[in-house]
Amino acid sequence: MTLALEQVLNGLQFGVMIFLLAAGLTLVFGIMRVINLAHGSIYMLGAYVAAASEARGLPFAAAVVAGALGAALAGLVVEVVVIRRLYGRDHLDQVLATFALILIANDGVSIVWGKTPLLMSTPPALGGSLALGPLTYPSYRLVLIGAGIAVAVGLYLIVQRTRLGMLMRAGATDREILGALGADVARISTTVFVLGALLAGLAGALLGPILAVQIGMGEQILILTFVAIVLGGLGSIRGAFVGALLVGLVDTLGRAYLPSVFHAVAGPDVADSLGNGLAAVAIYVLMAIVLIWKPRGLFPVGSG
Amino acid sequence: MVSTPRRRIVLALTLLALVAVLPLSALAGQPFWVNAATRIVIYAIAALGLDLILGYGGMVSFGHAAYFALGGYTVAILAANGVDAALISWPAAILVAAAFAAAVGALSLRTSGIFFIMITLAFAQMIYYATIAVKAFGGADGMSLAARSVVPGIDLRDPRVLYAVTLVMLFGALALAGVLIDSRFGVALRACRGNERRVRALGFSVFRTKLAAFAIAGAIAGLAGALWAEYARFVSPDMGSWTRSGEFLIVAILGGTGTLAGAIFGSTVLLELESLLAGVTEHWMIALGAILLVVVLFAKRGLYGWLAGSSDG
Amino acid sequence: MHKIARASLAALLVLLLGGGAARAAEPVKIGMITTLSTAGGYLGEDVRDGFQLAIDEEHGKLGGVPVQLLVEDDGLKPASGKQIADKYRLQDKVQIFTGIIYSNVALAVVPSLVEDGAFYLSPNAGPSQLAGKGCNKNYFVVSWQNDTPHEATGAYADYLHIPKMVVVAPNYPAGKDAIAGFKRFYHGEIAGEYYTALDQTDYSAEIAKIRDAKADGIFYFLPGGLGINFIKQFTQAGLRKSMKVVLPEFSLESHVVSAIGDDALGLYGTGHWLADLPYPANVAFVKAYTAKYHRDPTPYASQGYDTAKLLAGALRAVGGDVSKADAFRDALRKADFKSTRGAFKFGPNQHPIQDWYSARVVRGKNGKLVIRGFGKILRDTGDVYASQCKL
């Protein structure tokens, strides 16, 4: 029972981190209709900047802020130089252009910081484990869950309570409406893109202590992020949150339990390859099922 | 495939250049050119099939590499079990890929836009992880083919012969796709992108039209995969990875979607740039990225559109 | 017509450019196909730099013979590796190949190269498929057979008297081979076997199960970044106090240690090479490598260097004439060079017979973490596939 609870917490933590990436991606798509494959590269940049800042003696919290800000700055540059020219273009052009950005980012990082993975340490105060009743859980992972939920609440308030949020919601439903409302569409687009980059950078910086800060780390998580926002329904923050949690939980619990489920019903060899194989594709199976059942995700927004 | 004179000339010159590789490489004493050209043509075949659904049917498949991998693995698995007749294994590769594409299409075509992109990716990932996990098929290490398949009367072991065969397949695929596009089916397929009433007026169902096109594209990718297995004498899971699907998309987009022949340009430019830049600098990716970015931002109709001019085809 | 001419010219040029012009063959060409991009790029970089160091020491020669090193990145794609091999072979007329990091690339490239009469000297991957029945007289492995690092680690876990171990590896054949290799030499109880996805970043699910299994030690085969992710998360979960961590060299070398930081303190490792081995060849290598590249050498770097030295000895023996294939092969087999790892000779399948060392991460004099050797764990050890090889 304790073990099951721990696995659920693990899934929750993974999901919350995916949400930090998914939020930006879904907003950018919802409002600007841009497929941004380079979102994972911005996440990688956040991790690199944070790790490099920490190596230069910045305290952990400051390094995380530096990572998020560095990513936001990169987001600003990318938006102004590239993404702005892609609004209204074919999705395919967006795929190609942002794929080119991935190549540039990966190689650029290896030129600046070398090919060896960087070190980012956990602050000593958060290095241990906390006792939650019968369960001991790594403190740092609790911090991650807390940070993720705080961001989710903050985003919810921005989207529901502010003028920018009102415009974002309007834009996600119908882009034309923004101009009609007299809003400066270009500025809103830039703001949203930079906000998304900031969150991605924050995720990268926060995950630095538990992951290898290395080239290509963005692509690994990019696909999971796309799965999350597609599951939830594009353009919806709520959808991204639910989608991200689903991805986190299904992926973690799949790996935790599928192999033993198969062990119960089949021989060890079959169970190993089937159980582990199925665990690896569990989220894809989930996405396929959801999309066959609800072709526009769980929380469809506007005209899609 | 609406043709303007200039388009026809560019296409003819391109095909001529591909044929000319054979005598030119012999004259220059550079047998490697034939190998490089074979790879280019195989990619072009796969991307051409993709362009059929992408450029005409508006279906962005992000899992096209799965059919490529299925084609390759079919040939490799048959070869490992003693079936080395290309006349059996290649059609088998095409059939397997087409059948899987039809199944994926039937499940995926309820969705559209980015949802379609992601669901095709999902099915491709399932194939990818299956090829990694199954030890009988070599797992992550892949499978080698002891020898190339046998075609009565010709010797595929000779790289020039293999290239010629591959080229014939490209011409065949190009002709087949051209005929399809110009037929009533092609008109219906193009209409699927926006005008569904027109599709029905032509006596087609939107779903079935798209599904048929999707399966045909899968079949062509399966053929390309089979040819790849023969060329490389090796198949491995990375044939079906999502980055490979992305490469096929890039080849099609780079060449110009909705042009079919653009795939040849896209694959020539991408593969040659990659190998050229990698030979010059270890930081070839950043150079390739910059070039791709410039192309997409400024050559809006792809290379073929740039070379052959617009005809709103 | 101007534009059409431009079009056809462009198409032709692009086709031809990949060719380039063949140069007059003066120095002996060495084709290095290696992984320089992707997350595994640092492995190829080390192999290349180690190899290059040996060439630089002789000012552009190996064994007194002028050489030209061609290097190209395979991007961890078997297809690209194959393409580069074809290009080097057909266009540059290269006879000697080396450099491949990953087994899947090696399996795509090596068999057709050596059947074609070229030589391949592996500085890293040593897949079992090419070690037994699939061995070839022109194929030499300088590093190790893929199973051996895990066997050595199993032997070390046995030596440390760890009663109960859990084992972790990615869910693909090499992962299963690693675990099989470990179990071949470890005779305690295996309390759990866990297989992960190949590109997994979060290991919390596995770590929770490992905690539940209540073992005394853990072995994992998670190369490079995967292992870094795993050990960081494992340490944070507080499991280091109750479990010894015993690792093969892929998961415990200087890059990995620097990326893990203080969490690496106390990890147990094994290796066929360690930076602090006292052999004169090694002392000189470590000093020269650090001076030239300003980073600590890794096993990969030593493998690249040793490969170049092996080649140097053989080139000297034939006076740089590689066309005397039989004499060149015999010279390679003699392995007449001073290895950085100490004693080195080839077994019947032309894979190494060598010693394996135990190691542990400790804090050095200046406060820096170092991997310190603690003596030999296996002596003169070959691999289990050698007997199946008929050469």
Side-chain angles (χ1 to χ4, degrees):
Chain A
M1 195 53 219
T2 324
L3 183 59
L5 186 67
E6 183 175 355
Q7 298 293 25
V8 170
L9 267 181
N10 288 333
L12 192 66
Q13 179 262 317
F14 194 37
V16 162
M17 281 301 111
I18 293 171
F19 170 70
L20 287 186
L21 282 142
L25 203 58
T26 203
L27 284 177
V28 168
F29 187 86
I31 296 174
M32 286 101 96
R33 300 283 184 270
V34 168
I35 297 182
N36 177 23
L37 295 184
H39 201 64
S41 303
I42 290 173
Y43 152 88
M44 170 178 75
L45 216 57
Y48 266 94
V49 171
S53 310
E54 200 194 41
R56 299 206 161 207
L58 243 59
F60 176 75
V64 170
V65 172
L69 290 180
L73 186 67
L76 182 66
V77 173
V78 164
E79 203 275 342
V80 170
V81 176
V82 180
I83 304 289
R84 190 169 282 182
R85 293 167 212 276
L86 297 171
Y87 297 143
R89 293 273 290 270
D90 196 340
H91 280 337
L92 292 175
D93 288 348
Q94 299 164 354
V95 166
L96 186 52
T98 53
F99 174 80
L101 288 176
I102 294 183
L103 294 180
I104 293 173
N106 276 345
D107 222 354
V109 159
S110 93
I111 290 171
V112 176
W113 284 292
K115 296 183 204 286
T116 312
L118 295 192
L119 159 72
M120 188 162 177
S121 327
T122 328
L126 301 173
S129 294
L130 225 70
L132 305 168
L135 175 72
T136 41
Y137 201 72
S139 323
Y140 191 71
R141 284 187 187 258
L142 290 174
V143 171
L144 292 182
I145 296 177
I149 290 177
V151 169
V153 171
L155 265 183
Y156 180 80
L157 290 178
I158 289 179
V159 172
Q160 295 298 329
R161 300 283 164 82
T162 65
R163 182 177 150 73
L164 175 68
M166 188 270 285
L167 292 172
M168 275 155 64
R169 273 180 292 145
T173 318
D174 182 0
R175 192 173 159 76
E176 310 293 307
I177 230 170
L178 284 180
L181 285 171
D184 182 346
V185 181
R187 235 183 74 199
I188 293 178
S189 300
T190 310
T191 312
V192 168
F193 194 88
V194 171
L195 179 66
L198 183 86
L199 293 177
L202 181 66
L206 284 174
L207 285 177
I210 61 168
L211 295 182
V213 178
Q214 65 176 351
I215 295 157
M217 64 189 285
E219 286 90 274
Q220 287 178 334
I221 207 152
L222 176 73
I223 291 218
L224 293 181
T225 310
F226 266 105
V227 172
I229 67 171
V230 161
L231 273 177
L234 289 164
S236 156
I237 288 282
R238 187 170 56 139
F241 190 71
V242 174
L245 287 192
L246 263 179
V247 168
L249 285 169
V250 169
D251 191 55
T252 305
L253 296 179
R255 281 186 283 115
Y257 294 109
L258 275 177
S260 35
V261 167
F262 276 86
H263 270 290
V265 294
D269 268 2
V270 181
D272 268 348
S273 51
L274 260 183
N276 290 306
L278 207 57
V281 297
I283 56 159
Y284 299 107
V285 174
L286 169 77
M287 177 166 75
I289 291 171
V290 166
L291 288 185
I292 289 164
W293 169 50
K294 286 195 153 209
R296 286 174 48 207
L298 294 170
F299 300 94
V301 173
S303 50
Chain B
M1 211 158 72
V2 181
S3 297
T4 60
R6 191 161 131 198
R7 271 197 170 201
R8 266 186 231 146
I9 293 168
V10 170
L11 181 61
L13 285 174
T14 312
L15 300 183
L16 204 65
L18 288 176
V19 175
V21 166
L22 279 172
L24 280 179
S25 88
L27 272 177
Q30 288 291 0
F32 172 68
W33 291 356
V34 173
N35 289 43
T38 311
R39 200 167 75 119
I40 287 170
V41 171
I42 293 174
Y43 264 62
I45 295 173
L48 181 154
L50 181 60
D51 191 28
L52 188 68
I53 51 175
L54 183 73
Y56 297 93
M59 292 172 265
V60 186
S61 162
F62 202 176
H64 213 59
Y67 317 117
F68 184 72
L70 282 172
Y73 270 91
T74 304
V75 169
I77 292 165
L78 283 175
N81 289 295
V83 181
D84 62 355
L87 293 180
I88 296 173
S89 63
W90 295 5
I94 294 172
L95 275 179
V96 168
F100 187 70
V104 169
L107 291 170
S108 306
L109 282 169
R110 288 164 46 80
T111 65
S112 63
I114 192 171
F115 298 100
F116 184 78
I117 297 181
M118 293 305 291
I119 196 169
T120 48
L121 169 72
F123 287 112
Q125 289 292 88
M126 294 174 202
I127 293 289
Y128 173 70
Y129 282 105
T131 53
I132 285 184
V134 180
K135 194 160 184 176
F137 304 152
D141 285 342
M143 278 174 98
S144 295
L145 281 77
R148 287 195 178 133
S149 296
V150 179
V151 181
I154 55 177
D155 183 8
L156 285 186
R157 278 175 305 177
D158 185 338
R160 290 165 301 178
V161 174
L162 181 68
Y163 177 62
V165 169
T166 311
L167 209 50
V168 169
M169 295 293 172
L170 173 71
F171 293 169
L174 206 54
L176 170 77
V179 169
L180 274 177
I181 293 301
D182 285 336
S183 70
R184 254 161 44 89
F185 171 78
V187 177
L189 180 63
R190 268 175 283 171
C192 286
R193 298 174 72 169
N195 193 339
E196 305 205 339
R197 200 182 306 161
R198 192 166 143 71
V199 183
R200 281 189 286 275
L202 282 159
F204 288 91
S205 120
V206 174
F207 179 78
R208 279 193 212 148
T209 307
K210 283 184 160 182
L211 184 60
F214 196 81
I216 292 169
I220 295 176
L223 171 68
L227 290 170
W228 180 267
E230 302 289 355
Y231 161 71
R233 280 179 49 203
F234 182 75
V235 295
S236 55
D238 76 299
M239 282 179 81
S241 68
W242 70 272
T243 47
R244 181 62 57 95
S245 294
E247 267 175 23
F248 288 149
L249 272 177
I250 285 162
V251 166
I253 303 167
L254 199 59
T257 52
T259 61
L260 295 180
I264 303 169
F265 287 87
S267 107
T268 309
V269 169
L270 184 74
L271 295 183
E272 281 303 310
L273 266 183
E274 241 184 65
S275 105
L276 192 66
L277 293 172
V280 176
T281 165
E282 98 184 56
H283 294 295
W284 56 275
M285 276 194 184
I286 205 164
L288 181 65
I291 292 171
L292 286 181
L293 201 55
V294 168
V295 170
V296 71
L297 289 182
F298 299 107
K300 296 190 180 175
R301 286 187 314 274
L303 292 168
Y304 189 68
W306 173 62
L307 291 169
S310 162
S311 66
D312 297 317
Chain C
M1 280 314 280
H2 162 74
K3 280 193 178 164
I4 296 165
R6 182 178 67 175
S8 48
L9 204 68
L12 257 178
L13 266 182
V14 170
L15 264 174
L16 301 185
L17 269 174
R23 267 171 250 123
E26 260 290 309
V28 172
K29 286 181 180 166
I30 303 161
M32 177 176 278
I33 302 158
T34 195
T35 305
L36 295 170
S37 58
T38 75
Y42 68 94
L43 310 182
E45 186 178 44
D46 281 356
V47 164
R48 179 199 61 191
D49 289 352
F51 200 100
Q52 184 67 48
L53 180 66
I55 297 177
D56 290 352
E57 281 176 1
E58 285 195 52
H59 308 289
K61 295 180 181 170
L62 281 178
V65 176
V67 294
Q68 184 192 355
L69 183 65
L70 309 170
V71 185
E72 202 163 311
D73 174 24
D74 62 33
L76 222 171
K77 290 189 279 191
S80 298
K82 177 106 182 148
Q83 172 81 359
I84 300 164
D86 278 351
K87 183 169 74 177
Y88 283 166
R89 184 87 183 118
L90 293 170
Q91 183 174 297
D92 300 298
K93 316 283 182 233
V94 174
Q95 267 294 336
I96 303 166
F97 290 82
T98 184
I100 298 175
I101 301 297
Y102 291 93
S103 294
N104 57 349
V105 182
L107 287 165
V109 171
V110 172
S112 51
L113 267 185
V114 292
E115 278 163 30
D116 190 36
F119 285 87
Y120 184 81
L121 314 178
S122 175
N124 199 59
S128 56
Q129 293 92 325
L130 303 179
K133 285 198 194 82
C135 64
N136 185 291
K137 61 182 181 179
N138 282 2
Y139 171 66
F140 291 81
V141 173
V142 185
S143 46
W144 20 257
Q145 199 284 316
N146 281 358
D147 291 15
T148 329
H150 310 297
E151 292 168 354
T153 312
Y156 193 26
D158 221 39
Y159 172 84
L160 291 169
H161 297 297
I162 304 174
K164 244 166 102 175
M165 295 279 291
V166 292
V167 291
V168 183
N171 183 33
Y172 70 119
K176 289 177 180 153
D177 288 351
I179 286 183
F182 178 85
K183 286 199 236 166
R184 216 172 276 144
F185 280 69
Y186 170 70
H187 302 100
E189 183 191 340
I190 301 284
E193 270 180 45
Y194 306 97
Y195 293 96
T196 63
L198 204 49
D199 48 4
Q200 195 170 322
T201 52
D202 186 280
Y203 293 98
S204 53
E206 289 77 8
I207 289 170
K209 285 201 271 187
I210 290 167
R211 184 203 307 279
D212 206 43
K214 299 198 173 32
D216 312 291
I218 178 168
F219 159 83
Y220 62 82
F221 167 54
L222 298 166
L226 299 176
I228 298 170
N229 292 342
F230 184 87
I231 193 66
K232 281 179 162 187
Q233 297 170 22
F234 183 83
T235 307
Q236 270 183 0
L239 290 175
R240 290 285 290 283
K241 284 181 282 283
S242 55
M243 292 171 78
K244 287 194 169 87
V245 183
V246 196
L247 301 175
E249 58 189 343
F250 316 107
S251 297
L252 195 72
E253 34 89 348
S254 62
H255 287 301
V256 172
V257 169
S258 74
I260 300 172
D262 284 353
D263 288 352
L265 200 61
L267 294 175
Y268 295 90
T270 53
H272 70 298
W273 171 91
L274 295 165
D276 64 358
L277 293 180
Y279 311 111
N282 192 47
V283 174
F285 161 71
V286 171
K287 195 169 161 224
Y289 187 91
T290 318
K292 179 158 185 213
Y293 300 112
H294 308 291
R295 59 175 197 269
D296 292 330
T298 55
Y300 311 108
S302 85
Q303 289 156 207
Y305 184 81
D306 277 357
T307 306
K309 288 292 185 190
L310 165 75
L311 182 58
L315 281 176
R316 186 186 301 281
V318 295
D321 186 358
V322 187
S323 64
K324 296 176 189 157
D326 290 333
F328 181 61
R329 190 180 308 113
D330 287 341
L332 283 171
R333 261 186 208 138
K334 284 195 192 99
D336 181 18
F337 74 106
K338 294 265 179 297
S339 157
T340 55
R341 66 194 88 167
F344 180 98
K345 66 178 183 225
F346 282 118
N349 56 349
Q350 301 178 163
H351 284 56
I353 293 184
Q354 57 191 341
D355 298 334
W356 286 80
Y357 304 91
S358 59
R360 198 166 181 199
V361 179
V362 298
R363 202 173 287 286
K365 273 179 243 138
N366 51 4
K368 206 179 141 193
L369 296 179
V370 291
I371 303 169
R372 179 160 299 159
F374 285 95
K376 293 179 185 173
I377 196 77
L378 293 175
R379 282 168 200 277
D380 285 336
T381 302
D383 58 90
V384 294
Y385 303 96
S387 57
Q388 299 164 26
C389 169
K390 306 268 180 292
L391 274 184

